[in-house]
Each structure stands twice: as structure tokens, then as C-alpha cells.
Amino acid sequence: MAPSKIKNFFFKKRAEAKLKLGIAGPGRKLNSEAPPPPSKASSSKQKDAYIPPKRSELSAEAKAAANAALARFEGKDKKEFNTSLAAIRAQVRKELEAEKKSKEAGHSSEHETPEQDTAGETARQDYAVRGVFFRCPMIGDEILPYKEWKGRIREFLYEQLAADRGLTACLIIYNCNPKDKAEVCIETLAKCIENIVNNPSEEKYKKIRMTNRMFCDKIKVCEGSLDFLHAAGFVEIELDNEPHLIWSEDNIDPECSLEVLLEALKAAEPIPVELDRNLQVLLPSQVRRHNLPPDFFRISPEEIKREQQARTEALEQAQILKTKAMREREELRTINRYKFSLIRVRFPNGVYLQGTFSVYEKLGQVYEFVQSCLMHESAEFSLVSPGGLKFDHQEDLDKSLYDLRLVPTVVFNFTYENESKNLTEFLKEEMMLLIQSF
């Protein structure tokens, strides 16, 4: 099964390229197997943000809690199950009442703008979320930080070398080296293979001196490059007391050809990882945790601290009335510090739904995320900003969180619309039970 994942990766990339270019009909495949018959896909595009998304949006924690809730439901009577939910709702009401009294006493509980902790502490108790986590469906079902996935991807690729050397080497070059070095290596290797394909009778293209500066600086420095050359038919021998790579058609991997390897080399891309929503359901008291962990930031804590100090000094030196353009530039400088945005949705019953999004994801994806957690998925609803701005037009849904300035965090208020206004239930029961895990 594992080797097929490598081939499927390239099949998928080739299919995507054909769709982008609008190319129809059969094309050259990465192996000799007969292509499947083409299917006619509908060309209509659905832009309705309220189409239920796939359940894969739930995090592993959410799935575990839902399974535990189901097990309790099956193993006990319904009364005890409802009692658990009633206790949660009672706690929510209690906290809402306390919050109301606090506001009446003049102690505002509004959320502060989240700032990065620049003290260098690694274990902050007031982080709104523990970090940013990802999935990698090609490799496994685990949910891990991005750096851990990079290590897992490297291990996975090296495990596939024995079964799919040429295709796997292409992915190793792209995934296990700095991008600039990988691109130079791929360009150089492609030229070497093209020279052999286009000039089969020229012997000079079939020999590479391994002490050559070009070879050392552009090829040898990259992981996977020698594995690719070996799969392409090169073998290492010594000529005139110097190591050389000599090409022979007899040495090419039987599962591939030079044309296939050349195509795979050019089609290689990073193995994709998908952002996990890290779904959480929070009580009002838990929402007071507002600081964001370092994973949310594009720059280091030290750089953030220097930037804040420079901004403070500039304000002290020049207390001037800012123009609209100046305010917009300052706002952009602030949001450009973030890679991710923490979205919270406050429901009328006081419960909050929380999820992590890339700043370049569209607002429509936030709507899909919220809808997948609702008791009534088909109900119409809107998300309203703290300032009262309602985001419910298609034009808004097609914009990114960055474009809408919904970075680094925002708290929406949830409201049902039209025929759904009389509904009083919001999140699914398995979502409500996630509160117990905090």
C-alpha cells in the first residue's frame, strides 16, 4: 500500500495540472498501467457557503469526546446523559450571571487585543490555544505541529526508497532540502536527463565527474539527488582516479523510464499538510484566555519585542494626528505579523465555539466550520462582529480573513436568520460535551 501512495501523489498532481490547463484526453502516465476511462464531471461550481463540509474538520480531541459521549449514551440511560448536559448548561448560566454582575459593577470583561508573550516563556497558562496543528492524510491520521510533520514526512519518504526509488527521490529533493537549493538541483538534474533524451548518441552527456564544481554545488548538496540519478540509470565508477557517474539504459529502474522520471522531477511538490481546526467549545470563563502562542506569528518573539519598542519610541517622538493612510499602513504592519487567526463564535446561550484558520482562508470556510457543529445544519444564520457588522453577503464570504482584517482573532456573535429565528438550540450535544475536557 505504501508505495502506491507515491504514485497516487503524482497521478493526482498530473490530473490537477490537466484540469487547470483545460486539457482533455489521455496523457502520459507515470507507469505503464492502462489509464482508467475518463469520467464526465459537472462543470457547475457551487459557491453556497452553507453546504455541509466533510466531517474531517473535527480534531482528534473532538472525535474522542464524541465517541466517549456515544459510549456513555449507549451504556447508560438517557436521563443520566441529559443530566450531564444540564450540568454544563447550568455552569454556563452561572458564569453568564457572574459576568453580568461584573459589568454592572463597572468591571469590563471585554477581550483585549492578543499580543505575543515576549518573555520567552514556553508554558503559558493563559494561551487561548496550545498551538497550531496539522494533518497529513497521505501519511497518517495523527494531528501534529508542522515541525513534527516535517520530520515524519522525511521518515516516510526514506521508507519508500526501496520500493519506488525514482519517484520517491523526486519528493525527497523537494521536501527534505531548502527550497532554493531544491529548485536549483531540480533544474540541473532535469537538464542532465533532457540532454540524454534529446541526444541519445552523445556520450559526453552520459558521464558526470563527481568532483565537478557544478555537480558538488548544485546536485550533491541536496538529499535525494544521488538516489534520483541511480534510478535514472547512473552508476558510480572510478575513472582516472576520480569518481564518476556513468549512464546506461540497462541500469534504469524497471518501473520507470527517463521520460517518466523527468516528468516526476518537474511535477514534484511539497507533500501537503492540512491545517487542523483544533476545535474547542468554551465557557465564558475560559474565553478570558486571550494570548496567542508563538506558532501564530510570522516573526520571532525577539523581533516582536523590538518592533513594539520601536513603535512606542516613534509615538513618543511624534504625537501627530494620523491620516487614514497612516492608520491603514499601521494596521497592515500589525496583521502581517500573523500566519493564523483564532476565530471564536459566541452563541446566545453563552457558549463559545473556537477554531484555528489560516489568514488566507475565506470567511465562507468559517461559516462551513460553524455549520458543521450546529444542531440544525440546514438553518440559516449570520455571524456578526462585535461592532455590529453582519458578514452574510456572498461578497464577504469570498474574501479572506486577511482582506476582511479578521486577524489575529475575532469574536463573532451568532444569530439565526429568517425562518430559523425561533430556534433555541445551537451546538450539537457531542460538541457541548467537549467543554468537559477543559
Side-chain angles (χ1 to χ4, degrees), residues 238-264:
E238 190 168 313
L239 294 176
D240 301 326
N241 296 323
E242 283 190 307
H244 284 73
L245 287 168
I246 305 298
W247 182 85
S248 171
E249 188 174 2
D250 297 334
N251 297 324
I252 300 176
D253 261 4
E255 296 290 326
C256 291
S257 66
L258 286 183
E259 290 79 7
V260 167
L261 289 174
L262 181 60
E263 181 182 357

Side-chain angles (χ1 to χ4, degrees), residues 170-286:
C170 295
L171 293 179
I172 290 177
I173 294 171
Y174 212 108
N175 286 272
C176 302
N177 297 287
K179 184 178 180 182
D180 55 343
K181 289 186 177 180
E183 290 177 345
V184 171
C185 178
I186 288 172
E187 182 181 354
T188 309
L189 288 173
K191 186 64 176 177
C192 292
I193 302 302
E194 287 172 347
N195 285 336
I196 296 175
V197 172
N198 298 329
N199 306 278
S201 60
E202 289 285 347
E203 295 297 323
K204 64 178 181 180
Y205 295 127
K206 301 176 184 179
K207 181 171 64 174
I208 301 174
R209 182 163 54 89
M210 298 182 70
T211 54
N212 179 282
R213 183 174 179 179
M214 178 274 293
F215 177 83
C216 294
D217 292 346
K218 297 183 177 181
I219 297 178
K220 191 177 180 180
V221 292
C222 282
E223 289 187 51
S225 59
L226 289 179
D227 289 297
F228 175 83
L229 288 172
H230 292 155
F234 285 89
V235 293
E236 294 184 33
I237 65 172
E238 190 168 313
L239 294 176
D240 301 326
N241 296 323
E242 283 190 307
H244 284 73
L245 287 168
I246 305 298
W247 182 85
S248 171
E249 188 174 2
D250 297 334
N251 297 324
I252 300 176
D253 261 4
E255 296 290 326
C256 291
S257 66
L258 286 183
E259 290 79 7
V260 167
L261 289 174
L262 181 60
E263 181 182 357
L265 187 65
K266 294 180 178 180
E269 292 181 0
I271 291 178
V273 293
E274 303 172 357
L275 178 64
D276 181 71
R277 293 291 176 232
N278 196 11
L279 184 153
Q280 295 182 22
V281 181
L282 308 172
L283 294 170
S285 61
Q286 295 169 327

Side-chain angles (χ1 to χ4, degrees), residues 280-295:
Q280 295 182 22
V281 181
L282 308 172
L283 294 170
S285 61
Q286 295 169 327
V287 179
R288 297 194 183 105
R289 297 176 296 190
H290 58 264
N291 287 292
L292 295 177
D295 291 349

